[in-house]
């Protein structure tokens, strides 16, 4: 029997789906920074609101995030990032998976069924022992969101990820009250899904694949070594030391209040992720391409690996305050502005000066509208390289750039708006500089194919407890 279809969320900034390599370790860094920032603010006279918000009168302002967004990486307005690049947590797309009645082929688009169509598929099992742990008749089925064989995705685990994502995505938002905050999650559309549904489906997809990897690891008798466990313990101790001055009780109380988990539960979820990633690496070692294969792929189309310098002038087709699309009439007015600027550039005016004067990409004051990147990442102002998807460009933007000749200037449309865009330079890639990126890309593609094949095995069927899944909300 094929796996149930996870509700699909189109949360991908125009890119194909990216699966987390080891999200929990990224998030552990994120949480430690949150802890430091939030505890510092608690020393101030303002009273922080719950779950990473500050209250000021009746307004709720969200102020926590891992770091300040860099100009080469992302531009964020009040309601939504409006530059061509966005933070990683917003660029991760959930993948559609197999439906019970209809086999799923990776990359196909015939899996857009709604969650409602799938709810009745588990109705029989939801009220019986079928989805309980064997030998544990007392297990409360309200304690988990889904099950893969004997591995449960618990409510506690699922909510922890949700709270982490919520803190990320609410950064910079100001809500008049809690109703405004709910509207942000329930009304903000992203590829036909509201933001809450998109994030929930991402988390469910990730945890589903994590549980499969854990099951596979057990089958192969793969476990964490003593050294790996010691490294994990050191990381845990570091969070307690840096965030709570070594006070374990305070750490436990903080995690329970802000993420709904005890520190011991958080450590357990980190172990799960570490084992899942270890198994992924084990598989990759057996399927990764040889250097000769990588060289052959590189030689087939060298241009797609070039380092590109592109300048753009953005005219938004979304309301910068609400993130909602403009009406068709207003959109046509925006297009006319872009047409006028394109004509001025073709007439010889300086594009950088026009970008600074007219572009609605808020990073323009720092980068003059210029983005330097290759297919694997972006180059910051001082030359440092940021791997995708730490920041992720819109795919339409990338595609135009890869196919353009130096000096080409045109107008393209992305989800953000109209871009007057020019390819300013193209530096040919050197194989030795790019070969590891190509190897990792191919290995990741092969791993994803393996994961899709595992999902076809009834042993790894996912059973989603929709009665619980549907009740879980970002904002209660």
């Amino acid at each position: 029997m094929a796996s149930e279809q996870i509700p699909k969320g189109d949360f991908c900034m125009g890119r194909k789906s990216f699966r987390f390599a080891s999200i929990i370790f990224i998030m552990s860094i994120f949480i430690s920074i949150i802890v430091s920032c939030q505890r510092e603010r608690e020393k101030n006279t303002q009273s922080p609101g719950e779950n990473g918000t500050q209250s000021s009168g009746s307004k709720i302002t969200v102020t926590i995030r891992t770091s300040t967004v860099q100009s080469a990486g992302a531009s964020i307005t009040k309601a939504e990032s409006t530059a061509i690049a966005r933070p990683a947590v917003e660029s991760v797309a959930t993948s559609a998976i197999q439906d019970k009645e209809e086999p799923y082929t990776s990359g196909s688009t015939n899996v857009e069924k709604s969650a409602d169509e799938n709810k009745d598929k588990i109705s029989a099992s939801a009220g019986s022992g079928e989805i309980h742990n064997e030998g544990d008749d007392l297990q409360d089925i309200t304690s988990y969101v889904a099950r893969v064989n004997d591995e449960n995705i618990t409510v506690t685990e699922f909510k922890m990820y949700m709270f982490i994502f919520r803190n990320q995505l609410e950064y910079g938002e100001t809500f008049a009250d809690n109703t405004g905050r709910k509207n942000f999650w329930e009304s903000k559309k992203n590829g036909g899904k509201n933001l809450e549904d998109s994030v929930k489906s991402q988390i469910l997809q990730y945890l589903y694949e994590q549980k499969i990897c854990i099951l596979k690891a057990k089958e192969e008798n793969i476990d964490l070594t003593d050294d790996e466990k010691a490294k994990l313990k050191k990381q845990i101790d570091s969070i307690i030391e840096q965030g709570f001055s070594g006070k374990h009780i305070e750490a436990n109380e903080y995690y329970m209040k802000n993420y709904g988990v005890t520190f011991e539960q958080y450590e357990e979820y980190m172990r799960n992720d570490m084992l899942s990633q270890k198994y992924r690496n084990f598989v990759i070692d057996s399927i990764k391409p040889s250097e000769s294969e990588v060289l052959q792929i590189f030689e087939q189309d060298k241009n797609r690996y070039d380092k590109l310098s592109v300048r753009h002038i953005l005219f938004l087709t979304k309301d910068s305050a609400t993130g909602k699309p403009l009406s068709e009439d207003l959109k046509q007015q925006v297009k006319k502005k872009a047409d006028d600027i394109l004509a001025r550039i073709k007439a010889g005016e300086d594009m950088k000066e026009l970008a600074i004067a007219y572009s609605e990409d808020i990073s323009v004051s720092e980068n003059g509208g210029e983005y330097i990147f290759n297919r694997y990442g972006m180059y910051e102002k001082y030359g440092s390289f940021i791997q995708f998807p730490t920041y992720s460009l819109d795919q339409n933007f990338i595609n135009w750039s890869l196919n353009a000749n130096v000096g080409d200037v045109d107008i393209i449309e992305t989800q953000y708006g109209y871009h007057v865009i020019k390819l300013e330079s193209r530096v040919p890639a050197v194989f030795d500089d790019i070969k590891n990126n190509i190897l990792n890309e191919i290995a990741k593609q092969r791993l994803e194919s393996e994961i899709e094949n595992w999902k076809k095995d009834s042993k790894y069927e996912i059973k989603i407890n929709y009665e619980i899944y549907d009740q879980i909300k970002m904002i209660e």
Side-chain angles (χ1 to χ4, degrees):
M1 181 179 292
S3 297
E4 262 188 79
Q5 180 190 345
I6 289 177
K8 186 177 181 182
D10 296 316
F11 202 49
C12 62
M13 314 323 304
R15 301 188 63 201
K16 293 184 178 180
S17 72
F18 168 79
R19 292 183 172 84
F20 297 37
S22 187
I23 184 175
I24 199 72
F25 286 107
I26 296 170
M27 291 309 180
S28 70
I29 298 170
F30 169 58
I31 289 175
S32 63
I33 296 172
I34 285 178
V35 168
S36 299
C37 293
Q38 192 167 35
R39 286 170 64 82
E40 183 65 28
R41 282 200 306 277
E42 287 173 354
K43 297 177 183 178
N44 300 331
T45 56
Q46 287 183 309
S47 299
E50 293 183 0
N51 298 314
T53 63
Q54 281 186 317
S55 299
S56 178
S58 61
K59 289 188 177 181
I60 301 172
T61 303
V62 183
T63 55
I64 295 176
R65 202 175 196 179
T66 53
S67 62
T68 303
V69 176
Q70 300 298 316
S71 61
S75 301
I76 299 178
T77 62
K78 288 183 179 179
E80 185 178 8
S81 167
T82 56
I84 56 170
R86 299 185 69 170
V89 74
E90 299 188 50
S91 71
V92 178
T94 187
S95 300
I97 65 168
Q98 299 155 328
D99 182 78
K100 280 192 172 184
E101 323 304 348
E102 194 168 11
Y104 168 66
T105 302
S106 181
S108 71
T109 58
N110 61 353
V111 289
E112 298 289 345
K113 296 182 180 179
S114 68
D116 290 337
E117 295 177 31
N118 293 288
K119 289 178 183 176
D120 60 347
K121 295 183 179 181
I122 60 160
S123 58
S125 61
S128 70
E130 181 183 344
I131 55 174
H132 294 188
N133 284 334
E134 293 181 10
D136 186 4
D137 293 334
L138 298 178
Q139 182 185 5
D140 183 359
I141 79 162
T142 63
S143 68
Y144 60 91
V145 174
R147 186 179 183 192
V148 185
N149 203 315
D150 60 355
E151 288 288 329
N152 286 341
I153 298 172
T154 67
V155 172
T156 302
E157 179 180 22
F158 192 87
K159 283 188 172 182
M160 184 195 77
Y161 281 85
M162 282 186 61
F163 294 153
I164 291 170
F165 271 71
R166 184 178 68 189
N167 284 338
Q168 271 276 352
L169 296 180
E170 285 185 346
Y171 172 74
E173 303 290 344
T174 299
F175 308 114
D177 52 31
N178 212 47
T179 300
R181 197 177 183 202
K182 285 184 178 180
N183 288 340
F184 170 79
W185 287 100
E186 294 173 359
S187 302
K188 186 176 178 182
K189 299 298 181 182
N190 225 315
K193 298 279 187 178
N194 65 42
L195 192 55
E196 178 177 79
D197 288 343
S198 295
V199 172
K200 284 175 64 176
S201 60
Q202 288 175 60
I203 295 168
L204 188 59
Q205 173 73 24
Y206 172 72
L207 290 174
Y208 174 35
E209 295 183 1
Q210 182 204 76
K211 300 309 178 190
I212 293 177
C213 289
I214 290 172
L215 289 166
K216 299 285 286 185
K218 290 178 180 178
E219 292 169 13
E220 299 277 356
N221 292 318
I222 294 173
D223 202 351
L224 301 180
T225 65
D226 290 342
D227 284 346
E228 289 164 341
K229 291 175 182 177
K231 289 179 182 178
L232 177 57
K233 180 67 166 57
K234 184 177 180 180
Q235 186 176 17
I236 292 289
D237 290 344
S238 176
I239 293 175
I240 297 175
E241 185 62 37
Q242 294 178 21
F244 305 93
S245 301
K247 299 175 182 177
H248 192 280
I249 293 177
E250 282 192 28
N252 198 64
E253 290 175 349
Y254 178 88
Y255 272 66
M256 198 66 199
K257 176 183 176 182
N258 289 277
Y259 300 101
V261 295
T262 65
F263 212 79
E264 286 71 21
Q265 287 172 316
Y266 174 68
E267 184 175 356
E268 176 189 350
Y269 302 146
M270 289 185 73
R271 277 197 305 271
N272 288 343
D273 195 77
M274 192 173 186
L275 179 57
S276 171
Q277 184 59 35
K278 182 175 182 177
Y279 185 74
R280 288 169 183 258
N281 291 338
F282 169 76
V283 174
I284 285 174
D285 283 343
S286 65
I287 61 176
K288 64 184 179 182
S290 64
E291 183 164 328
S292 61
E293 288 180 89
V294 173
L295 178 59
Q296 183 179 9
I297 291 169
F298 174 77
E299 293 288 350
Q300 286 173 355
D301 189 2
K302 292 182 180 181
N303 289 345
R304 66 176 176 157
Y305 303 107
D306 289 350
K307 180 178 178 181
L308 309 171
S309 174
V310 176
R311 196 177 303 277
H312 83 125
I313 301 172
L314 173 63
F315 295 93
L316 296 173
T317 53
K318 291 184 179 182
D319 187 295
S320 61
T322 66
K324 294 182 178 180
L326 299 179
S327 67
E328 282 303 314
D329 287 345
L330 290 175
K331 190 175 176 181
Q332 287 302 313
Q333 293 177 31
V334 172
K335 178 62 164 59
K336 186 178 185 307
K337 289 181 183 178
D339 289 335
D340 291 343
I341 292 297
L342 177 62
R344 291 172 66 176
I345 293 169
K346 288 184 174 181
E349 290 194 47
D350 186 273
M351 187 171 179
K352 181 177 180 179
E353 292 182 3
L354 290 172
I356 293 171
Y358 295 103
S359 182
E360 295 176 277
D361 178 351
I362 62 172
S363 295
V364 70
S365 61
E366 297 183 27
N367 63 16
E370 182 184 35
Y371 287 87
I372 302 173
F373 59 95
N374 64 22
R375 66 184 283 109
Y376 298 112
M378 295 177 63
Y379 294 85
E380 286 193 303
K381 183 177 180 180
Y382 299 105
S384 58
F385 185 73
I386 305 176
Q387 192 86 10
F388 289 149
T390 303
Y391 293 111
S392 185
L393 292 171
D394 185 280
Q395 194 63 44
N396 288 346
F397 194 98
I398 292 175
N399 289 343
W400 184 91
S401 305
L402 287 171
N403 292 297
N405 296 313
V406 174
D408 284 356
V409 58
D410 205 344
I411 294 175
I412 63 169
E413 184 178 3
T414 70
Q415 62 192 305
Y416 305 107
Y418 293 109
H419 305 252
V420 181
I421 184 170
K422 180 179 181 181
L423 180 62
E424 299 202 332
S425 70
R426 177 188 287 271
V427 179
V430 176
F431 177 70
D432 285 342
D433 294 340
I434 205 82
K435 65 182 181 182
N436 287 337
N437 295 108
I438 300 173
L439 185 150
N440 291 335
E441 179 182 20
I442 298 168
K444 186 188 342 181
Q445 290 170 353
R446 291 179 180 179
L447 176 62
E448 289 176 356
S449 179
E450 287 291 314
I451 290 173
E452 294 303 324
N453 287 331
W454 297 338
K455 290 174 185 176
K456 296 175 184 177
D457 189 335
S458 60
K459 181 166 51 175
Y460 306 119
E461 175 187 2
I462 185 169
K463 296 179 180 178
I464 305 168
N465 189 351
Y466 281 103
E467 291 183 20
I468 301 304
Y469 179 84
D470 290 345
Q471 291 175 17
I472 297 176
K473 301 295 181 183
M474 280 289 181
I475 309 297
E476 300 294 341

